[in-house]
């Protein structure tokens, strides 16, 4: 079995590469990644010498490169994590989000069609469903919830999902799609809520909470996302969409206060809200539970402790990121907020 994992030098893709190589010792895994600001080969250092692993630097929007990689490698399965993934960046400049998330997905679908791939799996997000009101805790996203996006990021991911479904219906391409809630864990780029707050607290910088901090996210430990995708690849039904989430809802304020409590330091600063800020995400994971017997193994209280410990043990990983170009990003996004 040979898999191409696109975006495997990023947060979730990197964790998935490690997961696959640990779980399926006989699988060949190829990570194909452009190495944007979010891609980091440090995250793959420990598998670089693994005989079953290969890294290829490539851009999923570059048709020639993608087609020649497919011709050379002849993969059975493609799992597409490659994306521009940060909502705030999409609000600043949507263009690259459309290029990578929509056109890049189309290029991969065309290559999969040509090479009669066994499975194309699209890693999507709960953000395609829009948001839920804060005063209706009884409501959850199911696979039937209509697509209703808020940010340029979520719109680009929804467009990609529709294309993936179109390639299944029109060309019979064997696809699956998963829509997951907010992930956290090792190798999470420090522009996202949890690693940003950990890094700032450790560096005695203010913790910038948007608006009143009352928005709710449904947190999933990244390894549980990996196990769900692995199950979908092996046991999922072609053409189906699976929601992935673990009923771990927290307000942003609760998340930040937990980090402060665990670290014993950190000072909150309320800052201007995100434009179009989604209020609440909450997944109903019944389908993947009932059909594939998937359940998350790690609850939030346990996962946040493990995550904080990882950032304490791996300071070099995130300190080398925040000492570079990241400083310009931080100044631009938070300087006058
Ligand atoms: P990330 O930003 O950490 O990593 C993205 C990776 O894709 C990087 O390694 C980057 O170099 C690579 N990449 C970007 N453009 C590329 C291109 N044109 N060609 C090849 N590689 C390219 O993202 P993440 O948080 O790991 O998210 C991975 C996927 O999971 C995304 O598709 C995202 O939409 C989805 N997702 C993320 C979350 C989350 O909480 N982070 C939740 C649900 C779904
Ligand atoms: O739900 C899945 C999505 O989760 C993925 O599709 C995205 O790729 C991923 O980035 C994530 O999107 P969010 O916008 O929810 O994640 P982020 O970490 O950017 O923000 C989480 C919440 O925290 C959100 O309500 C905004 C808030 N926030 C974020 C940052 C970076 C703050 O209050 N302060 C901050 O500095």
């Amino acid at each position: 079995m040979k898999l191409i994992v696109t975006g495997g030098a990023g947060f979730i893709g990197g964790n998935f590469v490690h997961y696959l190589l640990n779980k399926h010792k006989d699988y060949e895994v190829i990570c194909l990644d452009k190495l944007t600001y979010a891609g980091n080969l440090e995250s793959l250092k420990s598998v670089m010498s693994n005989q079953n692993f290969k890294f290829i630097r490539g851009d999923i929007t570059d048709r020639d490169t993608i087609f020649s990689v497919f011709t050379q490698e002849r993969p059975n399965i493609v799992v597409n994590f490659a994306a521009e993934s940060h909502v705030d960046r999409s609000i600043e400049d949507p263009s690259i989000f459309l290029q990578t998330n929509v056109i890049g997905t189309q290029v991969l679908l065309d290559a999969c069609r040509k090479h009669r791939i066994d499975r194309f799996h699209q890693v999507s997000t709960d953000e395609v469903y829009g948001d839920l009101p804060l005063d209706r805790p009884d409501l959850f996203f199911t696979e039937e919830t209509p697509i209703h996006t808020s940010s340029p990021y979520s719109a680009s991911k929804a467009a990609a999902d529709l294309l993936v479904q179109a390639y299944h219906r029109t060309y019979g391409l064997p696809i699956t799609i998963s829509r997951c809630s907010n992930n956290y864990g090792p190798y999470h780029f420090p522009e996202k809520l949890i690693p940003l707050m950990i890094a700032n607290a450790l560096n005695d910088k203010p913790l910038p909470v948007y608006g009143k901090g009352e928005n709710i996210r449904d947190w999933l430990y990244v390894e549980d996302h990996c196990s769900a995708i692995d199950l979908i690849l092996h046991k999922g039904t072609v053409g189906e969409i699976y929601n992935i989430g673990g009923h771990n809802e927290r307000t942003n304020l609760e998340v930040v206060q937990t980090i402060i409590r665990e670290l014993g330091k950190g000072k909150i600063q309320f800052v201007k809200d995100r434009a179009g800020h989604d209020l609440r995400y909450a997944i109903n994971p019944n389908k993947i539970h009932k059909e594939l017997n998937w359940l998350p193994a790690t609850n939030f209280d346990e996962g946040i402790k493990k995550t904080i410990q990882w950032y304490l043990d791996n300071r070099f990983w995130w300190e080398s990121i925040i000492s570079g170009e990241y400083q310009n990003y931080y100044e631009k996004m938070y300087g006058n907020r």
Side-chain angles (χ1 to χ4, degrees):
M1 186 69 74
K2 197 187 248 196
L3 290 95
I4 290 186
V5 177
T6 68
F11 165 46
I12 310 174
N15 277 283
F16 188 66
V17 165
H18 288 287
Y19 184 92
L20 276 180
L21 289 167
N22 270 332
K23 174 138 191 230
H24 304 286
K25 306 272 187 225
D26 54 336
Y27 284 13
E28 285 178 69
V29 179
I30 295 163
C31 166
L32 187 143
D33 198 296
K34 181 181 173 184
L35 296 182
T36 67
Y37 78 92
N40 189 346
L41 284 183
E42 271 295 318
S43 311
L44 297 172
K45 206 170 156 189
S46 63
V47 294
M48 281 298 184
S49 56
N50 186 320
Q51 297 287 314
N52 289 340
F53 177 73
K54 186 196 269 189
F55 176 78
I56 299 175
R57 189 169 191 178
D59 182 339
I60 59 166
T61 69
D62 177 349
R63 192 166 279 270
D64 291 344
T65 300
I66 295 304
F67 274 67
S68 75
V69 167
F70 273 64
T71 304
Q72 207 176 313
E73 301 293 345
R74 306 207 145 275
N76 310 96
I77 293 177
V78 174
V79 186
N80 182 26
F81 290 91
E84 287 294 331
S85 72
H86 191 32
V87 172
D88 290 326
R89 287 183 190 254
S90 83
I91 295 168
E92 286 296 298
D93 182 6
S95 324
I96 186 72
F97 284 75
L98 297 182
Q99 272 305 316
T100 296
N101 300 0
V102 185
I103 304 300
T105 301
Q106 189 221 346
V107 169
L108 289 173
L109 289 166
D110 284 340
C112 288
R113 235 187 110 201
K114 182 176 173 210
H115 287 273
R116 298 176 175 279
I117 203 101
D118 294 336
R119 179 76 66 84
F120 175 83
H121 182 77
Q122 175 72 357
V123 180
S124 185
T125 168
D126 59 0
E127 295 201 18
V128 301
Y129 300 122
D131 62 353
L132 297 163
L134 292 178
D135 60 355
R136 290 292 307 275
D138 54 314
L139 297 180
F140 295 91
F141 298 135
T142 72
E143 289 79 1
E144 276 72 49
T145 302
I147 283 185
H148 182 80
T149 57
S150 311
S151 69
Y153 161 70
S154 56
S156 69
K157 291 294 290 184
D161 282 13
L162 294 174
L163 257 184
V164 173
Q165 289 176 282
Y167 272 63
H168 174 60
R169 165 114 188 211
T170 308
Y171 307 117
L173 193 75
I175 63 97
T176 37
I177 296 175
S178 52
R179 292 179 176 154
C180 190
S181 58
N182 285 62
N183 285 216
Y184 66 106
Y187 305 116
H188 203 181
F189 194 87
E191 67 187 348
K192 306 283 175 72
L193 180 76
I194 288 181
L196 185 145
M197 296 299 164
I198 297 172
N200 278 18
L202 289 173
N203 285 336
D204 300 315
K205 289 177 74 175
L207 312 189
V209 172
Y210 298 167
K212 294 181 186 153
E214 61 192 6
N215 305 60
I216 294 172
R217 297 293 184 263
D218 182 0
W219 294 96
L220 187 75
Y221 194 63
V222 63
E223 210 172 286
D224 287 326
H225 188 181
C226 295
S227 72
I229 295 175
D230 184 44
L231 256 184
I232 295 168
L233 291 178
H234 292 93
K235 299 198 172 136
T237 306
V238 164
E240 290 293 308
I241 295 171
Y242 295 91
N243 281 355
I244 309 173
H247 291 301
N248 274 294
E249 288 181 55
R250 296 286 187 284
T251 66
N252 293 338
L253 207 48
E254 285 169 341
V255 169
V256 177
Q257 282 165 343
T258 303
I259 292 169
I260 292 173
R261 203 170 47 246
E262 290 294 328
L263 286 175
K265 65 196 289 201
K267 193 170 177 337
I268 290 174
Q269 181 176 40
F270 290 98
V271 299
K272 191 168 152 231
D273 210 351
R274 172 185 281 176
H277 199 170
D278 278 337
L279 293 171
R280 171 174 170 249
Y281 303 144
I283 285 275
N284 172 341
N286 279 355
K287 178 173 172 178
I288 190 163
H289 176 49
K290 286 202 177 120
E291 287 185 17
L292 307 183
N293 204 20
W294 176 86
L295 276 176
T298 305
N299 68 31
F300 187 76
D301 294 337
E302 190 192 337
I304 195 71
K305 283 193 172 72
K306 283 206 277 190
T307 303
I308 290 172
Q309 195 56 50
W310 188 88
Y311 279 83
L312 286 168
D313 293 343
N314 293 277
R315 282 189 89 117
F316 69 94
W317 184 88
W318 55 271
E319 276 180 344
S320 62
I321 293 171
I322 64 173
S323 64
E325 173 58 26
Y326 179 86
Q327 286 187 2
N328 298 334
Y329 165 82
Y330 198 86
E331 184 51 33
K332 186 172 159 204
M333 301 302 257
Y334 295 92
N336 294 316
R337 198 153 188 154

